[in-house]
């Protein structure tokens, strides 16, 4: 028996046998790559499924973010471990279905963060085909995508707008929008030296956006603003998120 096992080991370790095994493995990989992949099952959701979900607001509590992630999972949307991204994407998806979609899933949707973002994965799951184009970069609108051709533009956590460039983000993104289209951004809420914004900064941004033809969809409650100010004035390790949805007039 020992002699047989030794002989088998010598044979399996020979260069000729190794080449045969290697070719067999490569052939198996090539065959597997050519097999059709199963089509991902779509989820049929309506605006009514997002009743009560805010399209504009402050995220100040981790529990609220976790609830949003769990609600998305109950609706059949793709799993994610990022509660904050789930909260922002859930609000943006509510805006897409309640304001933009006509029920046919024909809206042109642009996600500046790319195809693997939580929002893009969820939007695809319910029947849209988001484009991964950063229309907030200079010279993209009019070159890579036509001006006035888009129904929805999003820039969401963890790729939130920088407070120093958010005005430019809105201006360039809006150039891609049709009249009545939406642009949705998130901003980190917190100390300015940590890249965050205060409530006063957010309200100032809303006022400037209004002057540029963008109307806020939803509102920011006074008490919520007080709580947000507390977060913004806290230690640099603590921060919340502002989600702002604007409609082009």
């Amino acid at each position: 028996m020992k002699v047989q096992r030794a002989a088998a080991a010598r044979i399996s370790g020979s260069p000729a046998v190794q080449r045969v095994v290697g070719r067999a493995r490569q052939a198996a990989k090539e065959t597997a790559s050519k097999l059709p992949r199963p089509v991902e099952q779509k989820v049929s959701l309506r605006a009514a499924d997002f009743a009560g979900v805010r399209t504009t607001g402050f995220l100040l509590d981790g529990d609220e973010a976790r609830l949003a992630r769990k609600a998305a999972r109950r609706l059949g949307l793709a799993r994610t471990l990022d509660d904050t991204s789930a909260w922002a994407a859930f609000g943006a998806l509510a805006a897409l279905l309640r304001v933009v979609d006509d029920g046919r899933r024909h809206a042109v949707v642009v996600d500046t963060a790319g195809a693997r973002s939580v929002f893009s994965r969820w939007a695809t799951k319910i029947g849209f085909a988001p484009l991964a184009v950063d229309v907030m970069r200079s010279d993209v609108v009019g070159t890579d995508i036509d001006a006035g051709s888009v129904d929805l533009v999003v820039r969401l956590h963890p790729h939130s707008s920088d407070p120093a460039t958010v005005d430019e983000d809105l201006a360039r993104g809006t150039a891609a929008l049709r009249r009545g289209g939406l642009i949705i951004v998130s901003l980190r809420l917190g100390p300015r030296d940590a890249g965050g914004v205060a409530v006063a900064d957010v309200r100032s941004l809303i006022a400037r956006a209004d002057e540029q033809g963008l109307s806020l969809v939803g509102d920011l409650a006074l008490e919520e603003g007080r709580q947000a100010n507390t977060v913004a004035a806290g230690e640099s390790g603590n921060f919340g998120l502002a989600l702002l949805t604007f409609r082009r007039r």
Side-chain angles (χ1 to χ4, degrees):
M1 184 64 69
K2 290 182 179 180
V3 173
Q4 291 176 340
R5 284 200 296 266
R10 287 196 299 273
I11 293 172
S12 63
S14 70
V17 171
Q18 290 298 315
R19 285 196 294 272
V20 172
V21 172
R23 286 196 293 269
R25 287 175 177 170
Q26 183 61 33
K29 289 181 180 179
E30 292 176 356
T31 300
S33 67
K34 294 176 182 178
L35 292 175
R37 296 182 179 180
V39 178
E40 185 177 2
Q41 186 67 37
K42 301 296 183 183
V43 176
S44 179
L45 297 180
R46 302 169 300 165
D49 294 310
F50 292 82
V53 178
R54 299 184 65 186
T55 58
T56 289
F58 292 127
L59 176 64
L60 308 173
D61 188 337
D63 289 339
E64 183 180 352
R66 283 189 288 275
L67 287 174
R69 178 174 59 82
K70 290 178 180 179
R73 188 57 191 159
R74 286 196 299 271
L75 290 175
L77 298 173
R79 292 181 183 277
T80 177
L81 298 178
D82 187 340
D83 296 340
T84 304
S85 291
W87 178 83
F90 207 51
L93 210 61
L96 173 58
L97 288 179
R98 293 208 303 249
V99 181
V100 174
D101 182 42
D102 61 1
R104 296 180 297 170
R105 302 301 197 257
H106 288 172
V108 179
V109 178
V110 168
D111 187 345
T112 63
R116 296 306 303 163
S117 75
V118 174
F119 173 81
S120 278
R121 289 165 55 207
W122 287 358
T124 301
K125 187 76 172 175
I126 64 174
F128 293 93
L131 304 175
V133 183
D134 191 354
V135 294
M136 294 176 182
R137 295 199 338 261
S138 61
D139 302 326
V140 171
V141 178
T143 302
D144 296 347
I145 198 164
D146 293 334
S149 64
V150 175
D151 297 293
L152 176 72
V153 173
V154 299
R155 168 158 284 176
L156 302 174
H157 177 86
H159 305 283
S160 296
S161 283
D162 187 312
T165 62
V166 65
D167 287 87
E168 294 178 7
D169 290 346
L170 289 176
R172 290 170 178 166
T174 300
L177 287 179
R178 296 189 177 100
R179 292 192 180 278
L182 300 184
I183 184 167
I184 307 175
V185 298
S186 62
L187 287 163
R188 177 171 172 154
L189 184 68
R192 294 183 182 181
D193 59 3
V197 295
V199 175
D201 299 322
V202 174
R203 295 197 183 281
S204 178
L205 173 64
I206 293 170
R208 295 194 304 273
D210 185 71
E211 293 175 354
Q212 299 302 317
L214 293 174
S215 299
L216 190 68
V217 179
D219 55 27
L220 298 172
L222 184 61
E223 179 56 33
E224 188 179 40
R226 293 194 185 99
Q227 296 173 9
N229 270 327
T230 300
V231 172
E235 299 177 0
S236 60
N238 299 321
F239 67 92
L241 200 70
L243 180 68
L244 303 174
T245 297
F246 296 98
R247 187 170 192 173
R248 184 185 178 191
R249 295 195 294 273

mmCIF file with all atom_site columns, all heavy atoms in Angstrom, residues 14 87 160 236:
data_model
loop_
_atom_site.group_PDB
_atom_site.id
_atom_site.type_symbol
_atom_site.label_atom_id
_atom_site.label_alt_id
_atom_site.label_comp_id
_atom_site.label_asym_id
_atom_site.label_entity_id
_atom_site.label_seq_id
_atom_site.pdbx_PDB_ins_code
_atom_site.Cartn_x
_atom_site.Cartn_y
_atom_site.Cartn_z
_atom_site.occupancy
_atom_site.B_iso_or_equiv
_atom_site.pdbx_formal_charge
_atom_site.auth_seq_id
_atom_site.auth_comp_id
_atom_site.auth_asym_id
_atom_site.auth_atom_id
_atom_site.pdbx_PDB_model_num
ATOM 1  N N   . SER A 1 14  ? 4.406   14.927 -11.244 1.00 0.00 ? 14  SER A N   1
ATOM 2  C CA  . SER A 1 14  ? 5.224   15.053 -12.441 1.00 0.00 ? 14  SER A CA  1
ATOM 3  C C   . SER A 1 14  ? 4.806   16.278 -13.249 1.00 0.00 ? 14  SER A C   1
ATOM 4  O O   . SER A 1 14  ? 3.639   16.659 -13.262 1.00 0.00 ? 14  SER A O   1
ATOM 5  C CB  . SER A 1 14  ? 5.094   13.799 -13.307 1.00 0.00 ? 14  SER A CB  1
ATOM 6  O OG  . SER A 1 14  ? 3.805   13.732 -13.875 1.00 0.00 ? 14  SER A OG  1
ATOM 7  N N   . TRP A 1 87  ? -29.403 55.237 4.929   1.00 0.00 ? 87  TRP A N   1
ATOM 8  C CA  . TRP A 1 87  ? -30.341 56.331 5.250   1.00 0.00 ? 87  TRP A CA  1
ATOM 9  C C   . TRP A 1 87  ? -30.403 57.337 4.109   1.00 0.00 ? 87  TRP A C   1
ATOM 10 O O   . TRP A 1 87  ? -31.492 57.749 3.685   1.00 0.00 ? 87  TRP A O   1
ATOM 11 C CB  . TRP A 1 87  ? -29.900 57.008 6.535   1.00 0.00 ? 87  TRP A CB  1
ATOM 12 C CG  . TRP A 1 87  ? -30.750 58.171 6.936   1.00 0.00 ? 87  TRP A CG  1
ATOM 13 C CD1 . TRP A 1 87  ? -31.941 58.143 7.614   1.00 0.00 ? 87  TRP A CD1 1
ATOM 14 C CD2 . TRP A 1 87  ? -30.487 59.556 6.662   1.00 0.00 ? 87  TRP A CD2 1
ATOM 15 N NE1 . TRP A 1 87  ? -32.423 59.421 7.778   1.00 0.00 ? 87  TRP A NE1 1
ATOM 16 C CE2 . TRP A 1 87  ? -31.549 60.303 7.212   1.00 0.00 ? 87  TRP A CE2 1
ATOM 17 C CE3 . TRP A 1 87  ? -29.455 60.230 6.019   1.00 0.00 ? 87  TRP A CE3 1
ATOM 18 C CZ2 . TRP A 1 87  ? -31.615 61.694 7.135   1.00 0.00 ? 87  TRP A CZ2 1
ATOM 19 C CZ3 . TRP A 1 87  ? -29.513 61.615 5.927   1.00 0.00 ? 87  TRP A CZ3 1
ATOM 20 C CH2 . TRP A 1 87  ? -30.578 62.331 6.485   1.00 0.00 ? 87  TRP A CH2 1
ATOM 21 N N   . SER A 1 160 ? -20.034 62.431 -0.050  1.00 0.00 ? 160 SER A N   1
ATOM 22 C CA  . SER A 1 160 ? -20.773 63.677 0.135   1.00 0.00 ? 160 SER A CA  1
ATOM 23 C C   . SER A 1 160 ? -20.051 64.854 -0.519  1.00 0.00 ? 160 SER A C   1
ATOM 24 O O   . SER A 1 160 ? -18.828 64.814 -0.743  1.00 0.00 ? 160 SER A O   1
ATOM 25 C CB  . SER A 1 160 ? -20.954 63.965 1.626   1.00 0.00 ? 160 SER A CB  1
ATOM 26 O OG  . SER A 1 160 ? -21.750 62.974 2.247   1.00 0.00 ? 160 SER A OG  1
ATOM 27 N N   . SER A 1 236 ? -14.814 66.392 17.257  1.00 0.00 ? 236 SER A N   1
ATOM 28 C CA  . SER A 1 236 ? -14.598 66.101 15.833  1.00 0.00 ? 236 SER A CA  1
ATOM 29 C C   . SER A 1 236 ? -14.895 64.656 15.471  1.00 0.00 ? 236 SER A C   1
ATOM 30 O O   . SER A 1 236 ? -15.112 64.327 14.315  1.00 0.00 ? 236 SER A O   1
ATOM 31 C CB  . SER A 1 236 ? -13.155 66.443 15.439  1.00 0.00 ? 236 SER A CB  1
ATOM 32 O OG  . SER A 1 236 ? -12.240 65.687 16.207  1.00 0.00 ? 236 SER A OG  1
#
